[in-house]
Amino acid sequence: MASSLIKRFSHWLGTWRGACELEDGGEGTLEVSLTPYFDGQVFEVSARIWENSSCEIRGHGIGFWGVNRQGRVENTMWADTLGFCLLEETPDDPDVLAMEGVLSGNLAFSVAFRNEDHVLLISTSVGEGYAAGDKPRTYSRMTRLGMPLPGDDHE
């Protein structure tokens, strides 16, 4: 029986890359990989951002998506610029995965993913208090570079 993650997000699997604007207004590139483990019960999500002009890595992180008892996605993540965070899915459009969580220092982090016409859209923001605010920290329209290898479910 296929997991609810695989049923809902199998068309998101693979490695994606696209242009993004950096916090300081510079131009960067975001790369995100989604890899299924344990027959799709868990997804590993890794991301890195680099500055285009210098090729300097500006940030990287890793997370693991699973589904909680209420059927919502939870993401246990770590990023070098944010630290550790538990993100929980928030109600949104069924085609969007929106998650938010609390960071240390009274900060909140939110991220939204949407796959639209074979383009993966991602938007993140960090803000004070519980609500992360409306200003995107990162926004990218990414195209798929590759898929996970067949049978590469890492059991």
Side-chain angles (χ1 to χ4, degrees), residues 102-154:
V102 179
L103 301 169
S104 63
N106 193 34
L107 295 175
F109 176 65
S110 66
V111 60
F113 294 87
R114 180 182 176 102
N115 188 322
E116 186 175 279
D117 297 325
H118 307 290
V119 173
L120 187 64
L121 308 170
I122 185 171
S123 175
T124 69
S125 64
V126 175
E128 277 195 63
Y130 184 71
D134 296 330
K135 183 178 180 190
R137 179 174 192 221
T138 304
Y139 177 80
S140 183
R141 295 176 55 84
M142 298 178 287
T143 56
R144 193 187 322 256
L145 299 177
M147 293 288 292
L149 296 173
D152 191 17
D153 61 4
H154 304 282

Side-chain angles (χ1 to χ4, degrees), residues 50-130:
W50 60 89
E51 185 175 351
N52 292 348
S53 62
S54 68
C55 296
E56 176 186 344
I57 299 287
R58 294 286 293 266
H60 62 276
I62 190 166
F64 293 92
W65 292 0
V67 177
N68 66 19
R69 292 180 189 203
Q70 291 77 34
R72 292 189 176 174
V73 176
E74 288 189 351
N75 178 8
T76 304
M77 62 158 277
W78 175 87
D80 63 335
T81 57
L82 302 172
F84 287 98
C85 186
L86 174 63
L87 301 176
E88 296 181 351
E89 182 176 7
T90 60
D92 206 322
D93 180 313
D95 294 329
V96 173
L97 175 59
M99 295 181 280
E100 63 183 13
V102 179
L103 301 169
S104 63
N106 193 34
L107 295 175
F109 176 65
S110 66
V111 60
F113 294 87
R114 180 182 176 102
N115 188 322
E116 186 175 279
D117 297 325
H118 307 290
V119 173
L120 187 64
L121 308 170
I122 185 171
S123 175
T124 69
S125 64
V126 175
E128 277 195 63
Y130 184 71

